[in-house]
Amino acid sequence: MAHATNRLSASGVKAAPVGKHADGAGLWLVKREDGGAQWVLRVTVHGRRREMGLGSFPSVSLKAAREAAEKARAVARQGLDPIKERERQQREAARNIHMLSDIALDAFESRKAELKGDGTAGRWFSPLELHVLPKLGRVPVADIDQRDIRDTLAPIWHTKAETARKAMNRLGIVLKHAAALGLDVDLQATDKAKALLGKQRHTVTNVPAMNWRDVPAFYQSLGGSVTELALRLLILTAVRSGPLRNLHVDQIDGDIWTIPAAAMKGRLGATSDFRVPLSAEAQRVIAEARKFARDGFLFPGAKRGVISDMTMTALMDRRGLSERPHGFRSSFRDWTAEATQTPHDVAETCLGHTTGGAVERAYRRTDFLEQRRALMERWSRMVSLETNVLRGLRAHG
């Protein structure tokens, strides 16, 4: 009936006293003692009365309240609960806002400070960017389940096992980041996906390394080009090729080479630089390399920048060797284990590895510099013995 609805007027709503005032058809204005007011709709769904808030007055006008009430009544006439339907729509809207690509980028930004060079090389993000986001980037993160992940990574799960493992790991971190943001995600989705994908058939192979007993002969065969001097110093210091190729003369102070913390892989979050003791032979190699220095870099590239990792690898290829420059770290580590009585922590620190648990590291202040200095001098003499003998013979010949 006409008199049962639209009982209130705009002016009447403003002047209404404290209490409940019916507009009709279940729409009520509830005026509070503090002066505020709330619109409430009473509807019956499946024989049960429900009260649905439609907003506060004056933010929601009388006209807007009536329109919202009519939409809710239409939902109820379909046999649906308008409150639950509104919550469902809100969840859908939230899922549509938080796409996986956006959450992945946000997770990456929040972790940049922990990554080498603030992640500028892109290695942390690239497994996601190349193998996950092209298929799942526009999917709401809350909708992603183990089947989505399985279907996405299945093409590379066995053929590119290490890349797939990294992509799965990064995706797990992104899902945890989404949960921290308060989003409704399945934190077990990656573990479930692994179960669906099965054990990887591909076996990760180690970088080919030269037997430490063969290193002296190889060292002796190296000449005095930029690449050969870089290889010499790589062998003598047992560092990774990245810090070595980017070695700047300002990093050298006497018999100490200081590598910035940000350049040390495996020491994420480290606040201190890494000191490398230089043996007498290492200092001699550095002195010889200084004549090639350009823009302060000890091992410059042919045209610009510094030599690449492939430059040293190519030299070994031309010698018919399957071993790789990075493998000399393993050569050194095997030598310490088989030919010396070096304590584990000292040997691992030579390689720039962190040892012990977080609590132990917090209390340990030493970097074993003096012990490492003696060990690296011993390694250097073993490696360069034949070279030094020949050098001495030439000097007296």
Side-chain angles (χ1 to χ4, degrees):
M1 295 177 62
H3 66 275
T5 58
N6 298 343
R7 297 177 184 177
L8 300 176
S9 64
S11 58
V13 169
K14 293 180 180 178
V18 174
K20 297 180 180 180
H21 308 276
D23 185 57
L27 179 61
W28 292 76
L29 175 70
V30 181
K31 212 60 175 300
R32 301 190 305 270
E33 292 184 1
D34 62 4
Q38 188 80 16
W39 294 108
V40 176
L41 176 66
R42 292 175 180 172
V43 292
T44 300
V45 183
H46 302 308
R48 201 168 52 131
R49 194 173 78 171
R50 303 279 277 155
E51 288 195 355
M52 181 179 184
L54 299 180
S56 59
F57 178 83
S59 298
V60 178
S61 66
L62 173 60
K63 179 181 178 182
R66 285 171 175 168
E67 291 174 352
E70 180 51 37
K71 289 180 181 178
R73 293 189 199 104
V75 171
R77 286 194 291 271
Q78 297 174 31
L80 301 174
D81 185 329
I83 297 176
K84 290 185 177 180
E85 184 63 15
R86 181 173 64 183
E87 292 173 347
R88 186 191 66 77
Q89 291 174 355
Q90 289 172 342
R91 288 194 299 271
E92 287 290 334
R95 281 199 293 267
N96 289 335
I97 292 173
H98 300 292
M99 300 295 181
L100 177 64
S101 57
D102 297 329
I103 301 300
L105 284 170
D106 194 52
F108 177 49
E109 288 295 328
S110 71
R111 280 159 178 76
K112 272 189 175 181
E114 305 171 16
L115 303 174
K116 179 180 177 180
D118 286 341
T120 52
R123 292 182 180 178
W124 191 93
F125 196 70
S126 61
L128 290 172
E129 188 174 34
L130 296 175
H131 302 287
V132 176
L133 297 185
K135 293 183 179 179
L136 298 179
R138 304 307 300 167
V139 176
V141 68
D143 287 350
I144 292 175
D145 61 21
Q146 63 271 22
R147 289 175 293 276
D148 298 319
I149 300 172
R150 175 199 61 189
D151 295 343
T152 298
L153 293 180
I156 64 169
W157 189 245
H158 297 294
T159 59
K160 297 181 179 179
E162 183 62 13
T163 299
R165 184 193 66 79
K166 289 180 179 179
M168 186 75 81
N169 172 270
R170 307 293 195 269
L171 185 54
I173 292 173
V174 171
L175 292 178
K176 289 179 182 177
H177 187 77
L181 291 173
L183 302 179
D184 184 17
V185 296
D186 183 0
L187 290 177
Q188 282 75 49
T190 51
D191 288 334
K192 295 174 185 175
K194 289 177 186 177
L196 293 175
L197 288 163
K199 186 176 180 180
Q200 292 177 312
R201 291 192 297 270
H202 177 72
T203 301
V204 178
T205 57
N206 294 322
V207 175
M210 187 176 292
N211 187 297
W212 64 265
R213 295 173 181 84
D214 297 326
V215 174
F218 176 73
Y219 186 90
Q220 177 189 350
S221 73
L222 294 172
S225 69
V226 172
T227 303
E228 290 170 305
L229 289 172
L231 267 172
R232 284 183 184 273
L233 194 60
L234 186 77
I235 293 170
L236 295 170
T237 57
V239 300
R240 290 183 171 87
S241 69
L244 181 127
R245 291 183 293 104
N246 290 279
L247 194 163
H248 197 280
V249 293
D250 291 343
Q251 296 173 356
I252 301 170
D253 184 11
D255 65 350
I256 295 293
W257 166 26
T258 302
I259 302 176
M264 290 297 294
K265 178 181 177 182
R267 294 167 63 88
L268 301 182
T271 57
S272 60
D273 301 333
F274 182 65
R275 298 188 296 175
V276 179
L278 298 171
S279 64
E281 176 69 6
Q283 293 177 65
R284 190 198 65 78
V285 171
I286 289 172
E288 189 174 344
R290 283 181 183 272
K291 63 185 178 185
F292 297 109
R294 186 178 67 228
D295 298 327
F297 291 103
L298 205 62
F299 302 114
K303 295 182 179 180
R304 63 175 183 271
V306 298
I307 62 171
S308 70
D309 195 40
M310 289 306 298
T311 302
M312 292 189 287
T313 299
L315 184 147
M316 299 184 74
D317 281 340
R318 289 194 298 272
R319 300 283 187 88
L321 299 171
S322 61
E323 293 86 355
R324 291 295 174 258
H326 187 79
F328 288 116
R329 288 166 55 81
S330 295
S331 306
F332 167 79
R333 190 63 181 88
D334 289 345
W335 171 78
T336 62
E338 296 177 15
T340 77
Q341 298 296 317
T342 304
H344 174 270
D345 286 359
V346 175
E348 288 296 298
T349 304
C350 284
L351 297 174
H353 292 164
T354 54
T355 60
V359 174
E360 179 184 347
R361 293 197 302 270
Y363 282 94
R364 187 177 65 212
R365 295 290 184 264
T366 182
D367 63 355
F368 305 108
L369 180 63
E370 293 307 317
Q371 290 160 281
R372 288 191 292 125
R373 190 194 305 277
L375 182 64
M376 300 312 291
E377 187 65 46
R378 185 177 169 186
W379 164 251
S380 176
R381 289 177 180 173
M382 189 277 295
V383 164
S384 63
L385 178 60
E386 294 180 42
T387 302
N388 288 330
V389 168
L390 290 175
R391 188 181 299 124
L393 289 175
R394 284 196 296 268
H396 292 87

